[in-house]
Amino acid sequence: MDFAPSQTQREVEEAVGRICARFGDEYWLARDRDGVFPHEFYGAIAAGGWLGICIPEEYGGSGLGVAEAAVMMRAIAQSGAGMSGASSVHMNIFGLNPVVRFGTAAQKDRMLPPLAAGRVKACFAVTEPNAGLDTGAIETRAEKKDGRYVLNGAKVWTSTAQVADTMLILARTSPRDEGRKHTDGLSLFYTVFDRRFVEVREIEKMGRKAVDSNTLFIDGLDVPEDDRIGAEGQGFEILLHGLNPERILVAAEAVGIGHAALARASAYAKERVVFGRPIGQNQGVQHPLAERWIALEAAALMAANAAWRYDAGLSCGAEANAAKYLASEAAIRACETAMLTLGGYGYAKEYHVERLLREAMITRLAPVTPQLILCHIAERVLGLPKSY
Ligand SMILES: Cc1cc2nc3c(=O)[nH]c(=O)nc-3n(C[C@H](O)[C@H](O)[C@H](O)COP(=O)(O)OP(=O)(O)OC[C@H]3O[C@@H](n4cnc5c(N)ncnc54)[C@H](O)[C@@H]3O)c2cc1C
C-alpha cells in the first residue's frame, strides 16, 4: 500500500495551483456578485490543456485517471475558487466518460476533441421536476422518426445551460412498464443544445451564482440517431459509468473547499487579538479547527481510495459514495467552524468564508443526497432490504 502522491499527481497539483493563483478571492467575490460565468478562468484552464485530463490522448486529452482529476479539482476548489471555479469546468472533466467508454470511434472523434480543447461547453440534463432522485421515473420522451429522435419534456437544475453548446441528456425511449427494471428503456444522447427547441429558465439560488442552474422546457428537439451513446434503452447503465467518477470529484472539491475555509480561519486566528492574546491561542478555538482538519483528511483518503479503485477497474460504488458523504459533511462543518472563528467578520463577504459555506452546501445536495447514499451502503454493502 503506497499513500504517496505520484510524481504526475504532484505536477498536476502544482500546475493547476499556479493557474488558480491568478484568480484570487476578489475575482471570485466579484463573480459571486455579478453572476457572470468565469470565462477568464475557464479559458486559462483550457489553455493549460487541463480540460481533457481524463480524455484519451488520441482524442486530444491527457489520458490520466480520475485520481489525477481529483487532485486537479481539489486544487481548484482549495484555491478559493470553491464550487464557482470547480463547477465551471466539472462537466468537461468527467461528463463525457460515457462517450469514452461506450461511444463508437466516429463519435469519439467528433465529440471528445472539442471538449478537451475547451471549444465546447457541455451540460448534463438528467434530473427532472417529477422524478427527483428516482431517475427511473423521468418523463422526457425521445420518439424515433425516420432515423432521428424527437425529444419532449422538462429537466431541472441543469447547470451551465445558459452557456452550454452541447448537452448529455437522458430520455425515455420505451414506456416505463415495458422494461424489466424501471430504469430500463432510457437512452442517453450527447447532442447540440439547439435553443430554438429548448427554453432555459435560470433558478435563483443560494450560492455559486456564476455557474447557472436552470429549468429546461424541451419542445420538439431534433436529435440525430448518431448522437445516441450506446444501445437504445441502456442509457441508465451507461450513465452509471459517469456517476462514480462524479461522486469522487465532488468529494475532492468538498475537501478543497473545507481546507480553503480552514486556511482563512487559521490565518485570522493567528492575527486577531482579543483579551490581550491571539484568539488562536485558545484551545476552544484551536481544537474545532484541528478536528475539522482530521475529518477533511479522512475524507480525502476515502476519495483517493475510491479513485484508485475506479482507475484500476475495480468496483468503487461504496467507496465513491462514502467519500462524497464524508467530504461534504466535513466541508460544511469546516466552513461553519471557520465562520465562527472569524466571529462577526465570518458573516462579512470580504472575508470569503460565508461564500465558501454557501457553496459547500451544494456538495451535500448534489449529485446525490446523504439519505440516498446511506440507502446505497445499507443495501449494497450491509445486505439490508432495499428501502426505496
Ligand atoms: C446547485 C445544484 C446543481 C445541480 N446541477 C445538476 C445538473 O447539472 N444536472 C442534473 O441533472 N442535476 C443537477 N442537480 C440536481 C441534483 O442532482 C438533485 O437536486 C439531487 O439529485 C436531489 O434531487 P431532488 O432535488 O429532486 O430531490 P428529491 O428526490 O425530491 O428528494 C428530496 C429529499 O427527500 C429525500 N428522499 C427522497 N427519497 C427518499 C428515500 N426513499 N429515503 C430517504 N430520503 C429520501 C432526499 O434525500 C432529499 O433530501 C443540481 C442540484 C443543485 C442543488
mmCIF file of all heavy atoms in Angstrom, residues 5-45:
data_model
loop_
_atom_site.group_PDB
_atom_site.id
_atom_site.type_symbol
_atom_site.label_atom_id
_atom_site.label_comp_id
_atom_site.label_asym_id
_atom_site.label_seq_id
_atom_site.Cartn_x
_atom_site.Cartn_y
_atom_site.Cartn_z
ATOM 1 N N PRO A 5 1.491 10.581 -3.063
ATOM 2 C CA PRO A 5 1.018 11.018 -4.379
ATOM 3 C C PRO A 5 2.108 10.740 -5.415
ATOM 4 O O PRO A 5 3.302 10.853 -5.106
ATOM 5 C CB PRO A 5 0.802 12.522 -4.216
ATOM 6 C CG PRO A 5 1.002 12.847 -2.775
ATOM 7 C CD PRO A 5 1.667 11.689 -2.117
ATOM 8 N N SER A 6 1.703 10.363 -6.607
ATOM 9 C CA SER A 6 2.685 10.084 -7.661
ATOM 10 C C SER A 6 3.327 11.397 -8.127
ATOM 11 O O SER A 6 2.805 12.488 -7.852
ATOM 12 C CB SER A 6 2.000 9.392 -8.838
ATOM 13 O OG SER A 6 1.129 10.324 -9.462
ATOM 14 N N GLN A 7 4.412 11.256 -8.864
ATOM 15 C CA GLN A 7 5.077 12.438 -9.446
ATOM 16 C C GLN A 7 4.072 13.215 -10.311
ATOM 17 O O GLN A 7 3.975 14.448 -10.222
ATOM 18 C CB GLN A 7 6.270 11.940 -10.287
ATOM 19 C CG GLN A 7 7.009 13.021 -11.056
ATOM 20 C CD GLN A 7 7.793 13.936 -10.133
ATOM 21 O OE1 GLN A 7 8.050 13.602 -8.974
ATOM 22 N NE2 GLN A 7 8.138 15.118 -10.620
ATOM 23 N N THR A 8 3.298 12.477 -11.118
ATOM 24 C CA THR A 8 2.317 13.138 -12.001
ATOM 25 C C THR A 8 1.297 13.908 -11.164
ATOM 26 O O THR A 8 0.951 15.048 -11.485
ATOM 27 C CB THR A 8 1.572 12.080 -12.861
ATOM 28 O OG1 THR A 8 2.551 11.308 -13.535
ATOM 29 C CG2 THR A 8 0.634 12.713 -13.855
ATOM 30 N N GLN A 9 0.822 13.284 -10.079
ATOM 31 C CA GLN A 9 -0.188 13.967 -9.251
ATOM 32 C C GLN A 9 0.383 15.237 -8.630
ATOM 33 O O GLN A 9 -0.292 16.261 -8.550
ATOM 34 C CB GLN A 9 -0.718 13.011 -8.180
ATOM 35 C CG GLN A 9 -1.615 11.940 -8.787
ATOM 36 C CD GLN A 9 -1.907 10.791 -7.853
ATOM 37 O OE1 GLN A 9 -1.480 10.774 -6.700
ATOM 38 N NE2 GLN A 9 -2.623 9.804 -8.351
ATOM 39 N N ARG A 10 1.656 15.177 -8.214
ATOM 40 C CA ARG A 10 2.275 16.396 -7.655
ATOM 41 C C ARG A 10 2.381 17.480 -8.721
ATOM 42 O O ARG A 10 2.145 18.664 -8.456
ATOM 43 C CB ARG A 10 3.659 16.069 -7.072
ATOM 44 C CG ARG A 10 3.584 15.443 -5.668
ATOM 45 C CD ARG A 10 4.921 15.580 -4.944
ATOM 46 N NE ARG A 10 5.970 14.871 -5.653
ATOM 47 C CZ ARG A 10 6.270 13.572 -5.461
ATOM 48 N NH1 ARG A 10 5.590 12.873 -4.574
ATOM 49 N NH2 ARG A 10 7.228 13.005 -6.145
ATOM 50 N N GLU A 11 2.710 17.065 -9.944
ATOM 51 C CA GLU A 11 2.828 18.046 -11.035
ATOM 52 C C GLU A 11 1.471 18.666 -11.370
ATOM 53 O O GLU A 11 1.370 19.861 -11.617
ATOM 54 C CB GLU A 11 3.421 17.375 -12.282
ATOM 55 C CG GLU A 11 4.925 17.148 -12.142
ATOM 56 C CD GLU A 11 5.495 16.215 -13.215
ATOM 57 O OE1 GLU A 11 4.775 15.906 -14.192
ATOM 58 O OE2 GLU A 11 6.641 15.787 -13.048
ATOM 59 N N VAL A 12 0.426 17.838 -11.354
ATOM 60 C CA VAL A 12 -0.924 18.348 -11.628
ATOM 61 C C VAL A 12 -1.284 19.406 -10.578
ATOM 62 O O VAL A 12 -1.738 20.505 -10.898
ATOM 63 C CB VAL A 12 -1.973 17.200 -11.613
ATOM 64 C CG1 VAL A 12 -3.396 17.745 -11.620
ATOM 65 C CG2 VAL A 12 -1.753 16.246 -12.791
ATOM 66 N N GLU A 13 -1.049 19.059 -9.312
ATOM 67 C CA GLU A 13 -1.403 19.972 -8.217
ATOM 68 C C GLU A 13 -0.674 21.313 -8.357
ATOM 69 O O GLU A 13 -1.280 22.381 -8.238
ATOM 70 C CB GLU A 13 -1.044 19.307 -6.886
ATOM 71 C CG GLU A 13 -1.552 20.071 -5.691
ATOM 72 C CD GLU A 13 -1.160 19.414 -4.371
ATOM 73 O OE1 GLU A 13 -0.446 18.388 -4.388
ATOM 74 O OE2 GLU A 13 -1.578 19.944 -3.337
ATOM 75 N N GLU A 14 0.618 21.244 -8.643
ATOM 76 C CA GLU A 14 1.406 22.484 -8.758
ATOM 77 C C GLU A 14 0.972 23.313 -9.960
ATOM 78 O O GLU A 14 0.794 24.534 -9.866
ATOM 79 C CB GLU A 14 2.897 22.161 -8.896
ATOM 80 C CG GLU A 14 3.554 21.818 -7.575
ATOM 81 C CD GLU A 14 4.944 21.228 -7.767
ATOM 82 O OE1 GLU A 14 5.595 21.529 -8.783
ATOM 83 O OE2 GLU A 14 5.344 20.436 -6.894
ATOM 84 N N ALA A 15 0.808 22.641 -11.106
ATOM 85 C CA ALA A 15 0.499 23.385 -12.334
ATOM 86 C C ALA A 15 -0.897 24.020 -12.248
ATOM 87 O O ALA A 15 -1.079 25.192 -12.605
ATOM 88 C CB ALA A 15 0.588 22.454 -13.535
ATOM 89 N N VAL A 16 -1.874 23.263 -11.762
ATOM 90 C CA VAL A 16 -3.229 23.806 -11.647
ATOM 91 C C VAL A 16 -3.253 24.907 -10.577
ATOM 92 O O VAL A 16 -3.882 25.955 -10.752
ATOM 93 C CB VAL A 16 -4.257 22.685 -11.335
ATOM 94 C CG1 VAL A 16 -5.624 23.253 -11.015
ATOM 95 C CG2 VAL A 16 -4.345 21.713 -12.511
ATOM 96 N N GLY A 17 -2.502 24.679 -9.494
ATOM 97 C CA GLY A 17 -2.410 25.692 -8.433
ATOM 98 C C GLY A 17 -1.856 27.012 -8.963
ATOM 99 O O GLY A 17 -2.312 28.090 -8.578
ATOM 100 N N ARG A 18 -0.868 26.926 -9.862
ATOM 101 C CA ARG A 18 -0.274 28.150 -10.445
ATOM 102 C C ARG A 18 -1.315 28.927 -11.246
ATOM 103 O O ARG A 18 -1.397 30.143 -11.164
ATOM 104 C CB ARG A 18 0.912 27.796 -11.350
ATOM 105 C CG ARG A 18 2.254 27.770 -10.626
ATOM 106 C CD ARG A 18 3.418 27.881 -11.600
ATOM 107 N NE ARG A 18 3.407 26.854 -12.633
ATOM 108 C CZ ARG A 18 3.878 25.609 -12.474
ATOM 109 N NH1 ARG A 18 4.419 25.267 -11.324
ATOM 110 N NH2 ARG A 18 3.825 24.731 -13.451
ATOM 111 N N ILE A 19 -2.142 28.205 -12.011
ATOM 112 C CA ILE A 19 -3.190 28.898 -12.794
ATOM 113 C C ILE A 19 -4.191 29.556 -11.837
ATOM 114 O O ILE A 19 -4.550 30.717 -11.991
ATOM 115 C CB ILE A 19 -3.927 27.908 -13.734
ATOM 116 C CG1 ILE A 19 -2.953 27.349 -14.769
ATOM 117 C CG2 ILE A 19 -5.120 28.587 -14.410
ATOM 118 C CD1 ILE A 19 -3.558 26.261 -15.660
ATOM 119 N N CYS A 20 -4.596 28.786 -10.826
ATOM 120 C CA CYS A 20 -5.625 29.295 -9.891
ATOM 121 C C CYS A 20 -5.132 30.521 -9.129
ATOM 122 O O CYS A 20 -5.936 31.399 -8.777
ATOM 123 C CB CYS A 20 -6.040 28.204 -8.906
ATOM 124 S SG CYS A 20 -6.899 26.841 -9.697
ATOM 125 N N ALA A 21 -3.819 30.579 -8.884
ATOM 126 C CA ALA A 21 -3.270 31.709 -8.117
ATOM 127 C C ALA A 21 -3.498 33.039 -8.839
ATOM 128 O O ALA A 21 -3.475 34.101 -8.227
ATOM 129 C CB ALA A 21 -1.778 31.485 -7.866
ATOM 130 N N ARG A 22 -3.750 32.963 -10.151
ATOM 131 C CA ARG A 22 -4.022 34.210 -10.912
ATOM 132 C C ARG A 22 -5.447 34.709 -10.669
ATOM 133 O O ARG A 22 -5.815 35.808 -11.079
ATOM 134 C CB ARG A 22 -3.829 33.947 -12.412
ATOM 135 C CG ARG A 22 -2.360 33.804 -12.773
ATOM 136 C CD ARG A 22 -2.087 33.044 -14.067
ATOM 137 N NE ARG A 22 -2.960 33.330 -15.174
ATOM 138 C CZ ARG A 22 -3.102 32.513 -16.231
ATOM 139 N NH1 ARG A 22 -2.425 31.384 -16.297
ATOM 140 N NH2 ARG A 22 -3.897 32.839 -17.218
ATOM 141 N N PHE A 23 -6.277 33.872 -10.030
ATOM 142 C CA PHE A 23 -7.681 34.248 -9.797
ATOM 143 C C PHE A 23 -7.941 34.224 -8.289
ATOM 144 O O PHE A 23 -8.258 33.191 -7.712
ATOM 145 C CB PHE A 23 -8.615 33.273 -10.528
ATOM 146 C CG PHE A 23 -8.387 33.267 -12.020
ATOM 147 C CD1 PHE A 23 -7.434 32.430 -12.587
ATOM 148 C CD2 PHE A 23 -9.082 34.134 -12.837
ATOM 149 C CE1 PHE A 23 -7.204 32.438 -13.962
ATOM 150 C CE2 PHE A 23 -8.859 34.163 -14.205
ATOM 151 C CZ PHE A 23 -7.909 33.309 -14.765
ATOM 152 N N GLY A 24 -7.737 35.376 -7.690
ATOM 153 C CA GLY A 24 -7.797 35.452 -6.232
ATOM 154 C C GLY A 24 -9.224 35.578 -5.712
ATOM 155 O O GLY A 24 -10.202 35.557 -6.469
ATOM 156 N N ASP A 25 -9.316 35.733 -4.385
ATOM 157 C CA ASP A 25 -10.616 35.832 -3.721
ATOM 158 C C ASP A 25 -11.476 36.962 -4.300
ATOM 159 O O ASP A 25 -12.697 36.828 -4.381
ATOM 160 C CB ASP A 25 -10.405 36.080 -2.223
ATOM 161 C CG ASP A 25 -10.076 34.781 -1.487
ATOM 162 O OD1 ASP A 25 -10.355 33.699 -2.024
ATOM 163 O OD2 ASP A 25 -9.521 34.871 -0.367
ATOM 164 N N GLU A 26 -10.818 38.083 -4.685
ATOM 165 C CA GLU A 26 -11.611 39.228 -5.173
ATOM 166 C C GLU A 26 -12.298 38.887 -6.495
ATOM 167 O O GLU A 26 -13.421 39.319 -6.755
ATOM 168 C CB GLU A 26 -10.724 40.484 -5.323
ATOM 169 C CG GLU A 26 -10.161 40.994 -4.001
ATOM 170 C CD GLU A 26 -11.230 41.132 -2.908
ATOM 171 O OE1 GLU A 26 -12.352 41.557 -3.213
ATOM 172 O OE2 GLU A 26 -10.921 40.796 -1.729
ATOM 173 N N TYR A 27 -11.599 38.111 -7.340
ATOM 174 C CA TYR A 27 -12.194 37.688 -8.620
ATOM 175 C C TYR A 27 -13.459 36.856 -8.363
ATOM 176 O O TYR A 27 -14.510 37.094 -8.963
ATOM 177 C CB TYR A 27 -11.175 36.860 -9.418
ATOM 178 C CG TYR A 27 -11.728 36.278 -10.700
ATOM 179 C CD1 TYR A 27 -11.830 37.047 -11.855
ATOM 180 C CD2 TYR A 27 -12.175 34.952 -10.749
ATOM 181 C CE1 TYR A 27 -12.349 36.516 -13.034
ATOM 182 C CE2 TYR A 27 -12.694 34.406 -11.925
ATOM 183 C CZ TYR A 27 -12.779 35.192 -13.062
ATOM 184 O OH TYR A 27 -13.295 34.659 -14.222
ATOM 185 N N TRP A 28 -13.349 35.923 -7.410
ATOM 186 C CA TRP A 28 -14.498 35.032 -7.160
ATOM 187 C C TRP A 28 -15.629 35.762 -6.441
ATOM 188 O O TRP A 28 -16.811 35.473 -6.690
ATOM 189 C CB TRP A 28 -14.039 33.780 -6.398
ATOM 190 C CG TRP A 28 -13.132 32.962 -7.264
ATOM 191 C CD1 TRP A 28 -11.787 32.772 -7.100
ATOM 192 C CD2 TRP A 28 -13.481 32.282 -8.481
ATOM 193 N NE1 TRP A 28 -11.276 32.016 -8.128
ATOM 194 C CE2 TRP A 28 -12.297 31.691 -8.992
ATOM 195 C CE3 TRP A 28 -14.669 32.106 -9.189
ATOM 196 C CZ2 TRP A 28 -12.280 30.952 -10.176
ATOM 197 C CZ3 TRP A 28 -14.652 31.360 -10.367
ATOM 198 C CH2 TRP A 28 -13.471 30.798 -10.843
ATOM 199 N N LEU A 29 -15.271 36.712 -5.583
ATOM 200 C CA LEU A 29 -16.320 37.501 -4.929
ATOM 201 C C LEU A 29 -17.066 38.338 -5.975
ATOM 202 O O LEU A 29 -18.296 38.453 -5.928
ATOM 203 C CB LEU A 29 -15.711 38.401 -3.842
ATOM 204 C CG LEU A 29 -16.708 39.289 -3.098
ATOM 205 C CD1 LEU A 29 -17.807 38.454 -2.425
ATOM 206 C CD2 LEU A 29 -16.000 40.146 -2.040
ATOM 207 N N ALA A 30 -16.305 38.878 -6.933
ATOM 208 C CA ALA A 30 -16.946 39.679 -7.990
ATOM 209 C C ALA A 30 -17.900 38.809 -8.812
ATOM 210 O O ALA A 30 -19.019 39.231 -9.141
ATOM 211 C CB ALA A 30 -15.885 40.307 -8.895
ATOM 212 N N ARG A 31 -17.496 37.555 -9.131
ATOM 213 C CA ARG A 31 -18.387 36.659 -9.901
ATOM 214 C C ARG A 31 -19.597 36.269 -9.052
ATOM 215 O O ARG A 31 -20.695 36.096 -9.563
ATOM 216 C CB ARG A 31 -17.644 35.377 -10.338
ATOM 217 C CG ARG A 31 -16.473 35.555 -11.296
ATOM 218 C CD ARG A 31 -16.880 36.084 -12.657
ATOM 219 N NE ARG A 31 -17.215 37.490 -12.615
ATOM 220 C CZ ARG A 31 -16.323 38.477 -12.524
ATOM 221 N NH1 ARG A 31 -15.060 38.214 -12.465
ATOM 222 N NH2 ARG A 31 -16.723 39.729 -12.491
ATOM 223 N N ASP A 32 -19.370 36.138 -7.746
ATOM 224 C CA ASP A 32 -20.481 35.791 -6.846
ATOM 225 C C ASP A 32 -21.500 36.931 -6.820
ATOM 226 O O ASP A 32 -22.695 36.702 -6.654
ATOM 227 C CB ASP A 32 -19.935 35.538 -5.435
ATOM 228 C CG ASP A 32 -20.994 34.961 -4.503
ATOM 229 O OD1 ASP A 32 -21.621 33.952 -4.881
ATOM 230 O OD2 ASP A 32 -21.200 35.521 -3.418
ATOM 231 N N ARG A 33 -20.990 38.175 -7.015
ATOM 232 C CA ARG A 33 -21.907 39.325 -7.001
ATOM 233 C C ARG A 33 -22.599 39.493 -8.348
ATOM 234 O O ARG A 33 -23.801 39.682 -8.408
ATOM 235 C CB ARG A 33 -21.131 40.595 -6.660
ATOM 236 C CG ARG A 33 -20.763 40.672 -5.200
ATOM 237 C CD ARG A 33 -20.294 42.075 -4.842
ATOM 238 N NE ARG A 33 -20.142 42.219 -3.410
ATOM 239 C CZ ARG A 33 -19.008 42.539 -2.805
ATOM 240 N NH1 ARG A 33 -17.913 42.758 -3.510
ATOM 241 N NH2 ARG A 33 -18.951 42.643 -1.493
ATOM 242 N N ASP A 34 -21.796 39.436 -9.445
ATOM 243 C CA ASP A 34 -22.419 39.746 -10.750
ATOM 244 C C ASP A 34 -23.019 38.512 -11.432
ATOM 245 O O ASP A 34 -23.782 38.637 -12.397
ATOM 246 C CB ASP A 34 -21.443 40.499 -11.674
ATOM 247 C CG ASP A 34 -20.206 39.690 -12.074
ATOM 248 O OD1 ASP A 34 -20.256 38.452 -12.013
ATOM 249 O OD2 ASP A 34 -19.191 40.311 -12.455
ATOM 250 N N GLY A 35 -22.658 37.323 -10.967
ATOM 251 C CA GLY A 35 -23.257 36.105 -11.538
ATOM 252 C C GLY A 35 -22.797 35.798 -12.950
ATOM 253 O O GLY A 35 -23.402 34.971 -13.628
ATOM 254 N N VAL A 36 -21.704 36.440 -13.387
ATOM 255 C CA VAL A 36 -21.224 36.188 -14.750
ATOM 256 C C VAL A 36 -20.337 34.941 -14.752
ATOM 257 O O VAL A 36 -19.479 34.778 -13.872
ATOM 258 C CB VAL A 36 -20.429 37.415 -15.276
ATOM 259 C CG1 VAL A 36 -19.805 37.118 -16.641
ATOM 260 C CG2 VAL A 36 -21.339 38.629 -15.346
ATOM 261 N N PHE A 37 -20.537 34.067 -15.718
ATOM 262 C CA PHE A 37 -19.733 32.838 -15.829
ATOM 263 C C PHE A 37 -18.234 33.210 -15.850
ATOM 264 O O PHE A 37 -17.847 34.168 -16.517
ATOM 265 C CB PHE A 37 -20.110 32.090 -17.111
ATOM 266 C CG PHE A 37 -19.457 30.736 -17.236
ATOM 267 C CD1 PHE A 37 -20.018 29.617 -16.635
ATOM 268 C CD2 PHE A 37 -18.267 30.586 -17.944
ATOM 269 C CE1 PHE A 37 -19.405 28.366 -16.739
ATOM 270 C CE2 PHE A 37 -17.653 29.342 -18.053
ATOM 271 C CZ PHE A 37 -18.224 28.233 -17.453
ATOM 272 N N PRO A 38 -17.380 32.450 -15.131
ATOM 273 C CA PRO A 38 -15.953 32.814 -15.063
ATOM 274 C C PRO A 38 -15.185 32.437 -16.346
ATOM 275 O O PRO A 38 -14.343 31.543 -16.352
ATOM 276 C CB PRO A 38 -15.451 32.015 -13.854
ATOM 277 C CG PRO A 38 -16.373 30.853 -13.755
ATOM 278 C CD PRO A 38 -17.708 31.307 -14.255
ATOM 279 N N HIS A 39 -15.494 33.151 -17.432
ATOM 280 C CA HIS A 39 -14.920 32.812 -18.737
ATOM 281 C C HIS A 39 -13.396 32.859 -18.722
ATOM 282 O O HIS A 39 -12.740 32.021 -19.344
ATOM 283 C CB HIS A 39 -15.446 33.785 -19.803
ATOM 284 C CG HIS A 39 -16.903 33.616 -20.087
ATOM 285 N ND1 HIS A 39 -17.419 32.537 -20.773
ATOM 286 C CD2 HIS A 39 -17.976 34.388 -19.754
ATOM 287 C CE1 HIS A 39 -18.735 32.654 -20.858
ATOM 288 N NE2 HIS A 39 -19.096 33.763 -20.245
ATOM 289 N N GLU A 40 -12.826 33.869 -17.999
ATOM 290 C CA GLU A 40 -11.359 34.031 -17.986
ATOM 291 C C GLU A 40 -10.712 32.814 -17.328
ATOM 292 O O GLU A 40 -9.702 32.294 -17.805
ATOM 293 C CB GLU A 40 -10.948 35.294 -17.206
ATOM 294 C CG GLU A 40 -11.600 36.592 -17.669
ATOM 295 C CD GLU A 40 -13.013 36.800 -17.123
ATOM 296 O OE1 GLU A 40 -13.503 35.959 -16.348
ATOM 297 O OE2 GLU A 40 -13.643 37.809 -17.505
ATOM 298 N N PHE A 41 -11.300 32.366 -16.227
ATOM 299 C CA PHE A 41 -10.769 31.198 -15.516
ATOM 300 C C PHE A 41 -10.903 29.948 -16.389
ATOM 301 O O PHE A 41 -9.941 29.188 -16.563
ATOM 302 C CB PHE A 41 -11.521 31.016 -14.191
ATOM 303 C CG PHE A 41 -11.164 29.743 -13.475
ATOM 304 C CD1 PHE A 41 -9.985 29.656 -12.758
ATOM 305 C CD2 PHE A 41 -12.006 28.637 -13.535
ATOM 306 C CE1 PHE A 41 -9.638 28.469 -12.112
ATOM 307 C CE2 PHE A 41 -11.670 27.457 -12.893
ATOM 308 C CZ PHE A 41 -10.483 27.372 -12.179
ATOM 309 N N TYR A 42 -12.074 29.761 -16.970
ATOM 310 C CA TYR A 42 -12.319 28.605 -17.838
ATOM 311 C C TYR A 42 -11.300 28.613 -18.989
ATOM 312 O O TYR A 42 -10.699 27.589 -19.323
ATOM 313 C CB TYR A 42 -13.749 28.682 -18.388
ATOM 314 C CG TYR A 42 -14.142 27.541 -19.292
ATOM 315 C CD1 TYR A 42 -14.734 26.394 -18.788
ATOM 316 C CD2 TYR A 42 -13.926 27.623 -20.668
ATOM 317 C CE1 TYR A 42 -15.096 25.343 -19.618
ATOM 318 C CE2 TYR A 42 -14.277 26.580 -21.511
ATOM 319 C CZ TYR A 42 -14.869 25.447 -20.978
ATOM 320 O OH TYR A 42 -15.219 24.413 -21.806
ATOM 321 N N GLY A 43 -11.067 29.795 -19.562
ATOM 322 C CA GLY A 43 -10.117 29.931 -20.676
ATOM 323 C C GLY A 43 -8.708 29.578 -20.248
ATOM 324 O O GLY A 43 -7.961 28.922 -20.989
ATOM 325 N N ALA A 44 -8.347 29.987 -19.025
ATOM 326 C CA ALA A 44 -6.982 29.718 -18.532
ATOM 327 C C ALA A 44 -6.793 28.215 -18.290
ATOM 328 O O ALA A 44 -5.743 27.649 -18.625
ATOM 329 C CB ALA A 44 -6.731 30.503 -17.240
ATOM 330 N N ILE A 45 -7.807 27.566 -17.741
ATOM 331 C CA ILE A 45 -7.711 26.110 -17.510
ATOM 332 C C ILE A 45 -7.661 25.388 -18.862
ATOM 333 O O ILE A 45 -6.875 24.447 -19.054
ATOM 334 C CB ILE A 45 -8.913 25.619 -16.659
ATOM 335 C CG1 ILE A 45 -8.819 26.180 -15.220
ATOM 336 C CG2 ILE A 45 -9.021 24.104 -16.637
ATOM 337 C CD1 ILE A 45 -7.764 25.549 -14.342
#
